[in-house]
Amino acid sequence: DNGDDKHGSGADSGEVEEWILLRLGSTITFQREHAALLNIHTSPLAKSLLQPSLDTASASMSKPRSTTITRFVNLIAAKKTLNYSQHNAVMESAQTAAGFHLIQGPPGTGKTKTLMALINVVHATQYQEYYEDFLKKIDIGGPTSPGVAETESNPSELNRKLSETLEHVPTR
């Protein structure tokens, strides 16, 4: 050091250096992904993830849209106020017969809201299937033969009235 340094190094001149640290990101996501990769061999989805089958994918993609699923998705999407992307994710996931859908996004983009809506759709759809099967097992009786005959001859009207009642059941 020849003394030509007019500003000094901070530590030699007695000045305190100020450092500014900015957090640019977190390693938590990386750590979670790394842990998932290390443990993928124990996952029930390991085969679907590591060896996807085109037959399974094309079968689920070509599956016709179920009107029941579509109706429930639209009903729940309106109640949960899903945006376009969330609505599509729920619709596609609910209609997939095999495999899985990956729902991902940055924090605060509605992944949990989307998952809750999907769970509601699956629950409502399963309940509807149970309910329709249950209706097939109902024996109708009444005080008059014409009333019973009317109800038996028009089971779709009974089903419609019961379905309307179900639509008013809270989805939460």
Side-chain angles (χ1 to χ4, degrees):
D1 188 28
N2 61 7
D4 292 339
D5 186 6
K6 295 180 182 172
H7 297 290
S9 64
D12 293 341
S13 65
E15 295 177 22
V16 176
E17 287 188 31
E18 184 176 320
W19 288 69
I20 298 175
L21 297 175
L22 296 176
R23 181 176 171 185
L24 298 178
S26 171
T27 62
I28 296 297
T29 301
F30 172 76
Q31 290 169 347
R32 287 179 181 159
E33 290 172 353
H34 184 259
L37 286 173
L38 289 177
N39 293 311
I40 196 165
H41 65 280
T42 62
S43 171
L45 292 175
K47 185 175 181 189
S48 296
L49 289 168
L50 300 174
Q51 298 172 343
S53 166
L54 288 177
D55 296 336
T56 303
S58 63
S60 66
M61 290 175 143
S62 65
K63 180 182 166 191
R65 290 186 175 231
S66 163
T67 55
T68 302
I69 290 175
T70 302
R71 191 179 88 201
F72 282 127
V73 168
N74 292 335
L75 176 70
I76 291 169
K79 288 188 178 203
K80 298 280 186 188
T81 61
L82 300 181
N83 65 30
Y84 179 78
S85 177
Q86 293 165 336
H87 183 273
N88 283 344
V90 171
M91 183 70 77
E92 293 302 318
S93 298
Q95 293 178 346
T96 299
F100 63 95
H101 279 262
L102 177 64
I103 297 174
Q104 62 180 359
T109 56
K111 296 177 297 296
T112 303
K113 185 177 185 179
T114 302
L115 181 60
M116 293 303 295
L118 178 58
I119 290 169
N120 278 324
V121 168
V122 170
H123 178 260
T125 304
Q126 293 294 317
Y127 185 81
Q128 183 67 25
E129 288 175 10
Y130 165 80
Y131 170 75
E132 288 172 358
D133 186 50
F134 176 75
L135 279 182
K136 293 175 188 172
K137 298 175 184 176
I138 292 179
D139 285 330
I140 300 173
T144 63
S145 293
V148 173
E150 170 67 26
T151 307
E152 286 180 340
S153 69
N154 196 0
S156 61
E157 179 63 19
L158 175 64
N159 189 21
R160 185 188 65 76
K161 287 180 181 178
L162 290 171
S163 292
E164 286 175 359
T165 303
L166 282 179
E167 286 183 2
H168 299 292
V169 173
T171 58
R172 209 168 169 220

